[in-house]
Amino acid sequence: MFTSPSVRACVLIAALFTGAAHAETISVAVASNFTAPMQKIAAQFEKDTGHKAELSFGATGKFYAQISNGAPFGILLAADDKTPAKIAQEGKGDAASRFTYSIGKLVLWSKQDGYVDANGEVLKTGKFQHVAIANPKLAPYGLAAEQTLTKLNLLDAIKPKFVQGENIGQTYQFAATGNAELGFVALSQVMEDGKIKSGSAWVVPAEMHEPIRQDAIVLNNAKDNVAAKALMDYLKGDKARAIITAYGYAF
């Protein structure tokens, strides 16, 4: 059957308009350690679904305080599992939506090649002035770093050399700029495509600290948001998981 060009154009415009009408935006609070993978995931998510994820990055502890004070986030991608559990318990989020989107890995990193050995023995030498660490009261990676040093019987000796970041993003900056020769950071911050991008590193064995289970939860602001459900589903899919794995996370 013949269809005129003008009719075909109208059909195409209507289809595009319908798709745009169904696309929604979701505001996502993202733990600092997950910055790089989430930026890639959000771009791919928008390309594949039409929905848009607006990302804010920071410390999980600070996000919790902001959410408690009514901040209009729709999803929290936390750096731990305790904060989303607390949010669900307090009725600020959908308990049924909560799941572990990744398990983080801690790394001791220096921007200098050859500075950190493969077993972290550099910590025992004491031949450094500063070690960057995230605030263990706010950041799970900081707590994991303290637990690691405690297990190595080095916490008391190294604590005076701590340069404390508010979150893991600031902690990485201390190490990356050389303000600290060493830094306990997230593996995702120094890894891409399965390789350490620069400098030298010791990937801390998982048994040295409590598992860094990172949970996601849909907050009450987004309980009816189509994009929220779509993003949570997307994070469980193969495309997102391939990106997450490339940055050194496990499941």
Side-chain angles (χ1 to χ4, degrees):
M1 184 176 72
F2 175 75
T3 305
S4 72
S6 60
V7 171
R8 286 199 299 271
C10 288
V11 170
L12 179 60
I13 291 169
L16 290 171
F17 180 81
T18 301
H22 284 90
E24 291 194 25
T25 298
I26 183 66
S27 176
V28 189
V30 185
S32 295
N33 71 85
F34 205 63
T35 297
M38 193 56 200
Q39 286 173 331
K40 284 193 174 183
I41 290 168
Q44 192 64 47
F45 171 69
E46 184 172 1
K47 182 179 177 182
D48 289 346
T49 69
H51 299 303
K52 184 174 182 179
E54 291 185 343
L55 310 178
S56 299
F57 303 101
T60 295
K62 283 212 160 186
F63 280 138
Y64 171 75
Q66 291 169 359
I67 290 163
S68 296
N69 287 315
F73 296 118
I75 288 175
L76 171 65
L77 300 183
D80 64 359
D81 56 355
K82 296 179 179 65
T83 303
K86 190 175 182 182
I87 285 171
Q89 187 177 25
E90 293 173 350
K92 300 184 180 82
D94 178 11
S97 71
R98 185 165 65 94
F99 78 101
T100 300
Y101 67 91
S102 69
I103 297 175
K105 293 183 184 178
L106 180 70
V107 64
L108 179 70
W109 179 76
S110 171
K111 74 172 196 172
Q112 298 180 44
D113 292 337
Y115 195 88
V116 179
D117 59 282
N119 297 307
E121 295 293 322
V122 64
L123 289 168
K124 298 176 182 177
T125 68
K127 295 179 180 178
F128 47 86
Q129 295 300 310
H130 300 106
V131 179
I133 181 173
N135 184 341
K137 293 180 180 178
L138 292 175
Y141 283 84
L143 178 60
E146 274 203 348
Q147 291 171 345
T148 297
L149 290 171
T150 298
K151 200 144 193 172
L152 292 170
N153 294 315
L154 292 172
L155 182 60
D156 290 341
I158 293 178
K159 203 165 188 176
K161 299 183 179 185
F162 281 178
V163 177
Q164 190 166 282
E166 184 179 276
N167 56 50
I168 202 68
Q170 188 179 56
T171 304
Y172 170 76
Q173 287 302 317
F174 287 148
T177 56
N179 287 321
E181 302 98 308
L182 298 168
F184 278 105
V185 299
L187 181 58
S188 60
Q189 293 172 298
V190 299
M191 174 178 273
E192 192 168 12
D193 297 327
K195 299 176 185 177
I196 300 295
K197 291 184 285 187
S198 63
S200 51
W202 169 53
V203 180
V204 178
E207 63 268 19
M208 300 295 287
H209 56 79
E210 294 176 6
I212 307 173
R213 298 186 183 280
Q214 302 196 193
D215 279 13
I217 188 169
V218 175
L219 304 169
N220 288 346
N221 288 327
K223 61 182 180 180
D224 297 320
N225 187 301
V226 174
K229 184 181 185 309
L231 180 57
M232 294 292 269
D233 289 341
Y234 198 83
L235 286 166
K236 299 172 185 175
D238 291 342
K239 285 187 179 180
R241 289 202 160 197
I243 294 170
I244 293 168
T245 301
Y247 280 91
Y249 291 93
F251 297 101

